[in-house]
Amino acid sequence: MKVVNFAEHDSLVSQYIMELRNVGIQHDMLRFRRNLERIGEIMAFEISRTMHYRTEHVQTPLATSPARVLDEQVVLATIFRAGLPFHQGFLNFFDHAENAFVSAYRKYREKEDNFDVFIEYLASPALDGKTVIIADPMLATGKSMELSYRALLTKGEPAHIHVASVIASQAAVDYVKRTFPEDRTTLWIAAVDPEINAHSYIVPGLGDAGDLAYGIKE
């Protein structure tokens, strides 16, 4: 499985990651959402460079011109709710893509730090033979990502899966590499953090991306 870690090379992604993490900046919800969106846009461009294209001829006012156009059917999938601004960044570039949405949430066991992940909602087109990009900004354990992927498989078998996250723990990277098809998956990450804490939050991470993007939930 190919893993692309943007933190291994300097780019504006590092600036946006700093602003997402910074406690003096991240509580500006508009800026937080826009930074997630901008990272999604950059990842979308980089993913587009790995895809297949065909040549078409377009009529201009003066002549015909060859043009290279995308030759893959793309489906953009995201996990509610923190994934929405990140997803929008991909949609800004893959504007002809179909879209899929999954609701996954943690349910903590009473007086325990352990939790189960539940899938409550799925809306997706048929996926057979298509290229699926699953965008979720925080990849803490990898369990929500795996269960969302399993739910999407009820709609068909993709030709290729791109898993895209802003911040991942090393444990989650290893988990995705174990559980997703090695020959048909590419993992894209803006930064990899070394650990998760007892509550399965990424450390140093950035906190709760959903709360920072949309406000604290009860």
Side-chain angles (χ1 to χ4, degrees):
M1 181 185 300
K2 183 177 181 181
V3 178
V4 181
N5 181 0
F6 283 74
E8 293 176 351
H9 305 281
D10 286 337
S11 74
L12 281 174
V13 170
S14 299
Q15 172 77 25
Y16 304 148
I17 288 287
M18 181 278 292
E19 294 184 5
L20 288 170
R21 293 188 194 267
N22 190 318
V23 294
I25 299 174
Q26 64 176 196
H27 292 288
D28 180 340
M29 288 192 292
L30 176 61
R31 191 168 179 177
F32 188 88
R33 291 193 301 269
R34 180 60 184 131
N35 281 330
L36 289 178
E37 184 179 355
R38 290 194 288 189
I39 294 173
E41 290 171 341
I42 292 170
M43 284 191 179
F45 174 74
E46 293 297 332
I47 290 173
S48 77
R49 298 176 63 197
T50 71
M51 293 180 167
H52 297 99
Y53 290 77
R54 67 179 184 274
T55 300
E56 291 188 355
H57 289 82
V58 60
Q59 182 68 49
T60 79
L62 301 177
T64 60
S65 174
R68 297 287 287 167
V69 296
L70 189 64
D71 196 27
E72 297 186 23
Q73 291 182 282
V74 177
V75 178
L76 303 177
T78 197
I79 303 171
F80 289 146
R81 65 179 167 152
L84 290 174
F86 191 39
H87 175 93
Q88 185 61 49
F90 286 90
L91 188 57
N92 290 346
F93 276 44
F94 292 107
D95 54 339
H96 293 104
E98 297 175 287
N99 291 264
F101 300 94
V102 182
S103 172
Y105 70 95
R106 296 178 176 187
K107 185 174 182 180
Y108 285 90
R109 300 166 193 163
E110 187 175 358
K111 296 182 180 179
E112 294 183 25
D113 290 324
N114 292 328
F115 61 88
D116 298 307
V117 177
F118 289 89
I119 302 293
E120 256 190 358
Y121 171 85
L122 170 66
S124 172
L127 300 179
D128 280 321
K130 298 179 182 179
T131 299
V132 176
I133 302 173
I134 310 177
D136 189 23
M138 306 302 288
L139 195 62
T141 67
K143 293 178 182 178
S144 295
M145 182 65 75
E146 182 200 10
L147 289 177
S148 298
Y149 168 64
R150 300 296 177 197
L152 289 165
L153 286 179
T154 64
K155 303 301 182 180
E157 189 74 39
H160 196 87
I161 308 103
H162 296 276
V163 175
S165 288
V166 175
I167 299 177
S169 72
Q170 184 58 55
V173 171
D174 296 338
Y175 188 84
V176 168
K177 291 170 72 174
R178 290 195 305 270
T179 55
F180 278 67
E182 182 179 0
D183 59 335
R184 293 185 293 115
T185 306
T186 307
L187 178 57
W188 304 79
I189 311 162
V192 179
D193 285 356
E195 60 183 297
I196 54 175
N197 64 17
H199 297 284
S200 294
Y201 279 97
I202 302 170
V203 180
L206 53 75
D208 189 305
D211 287 356
L212 290 165
Y214 294 110
I216 297 173
K217 58 186 176 295
E218 291 187 358

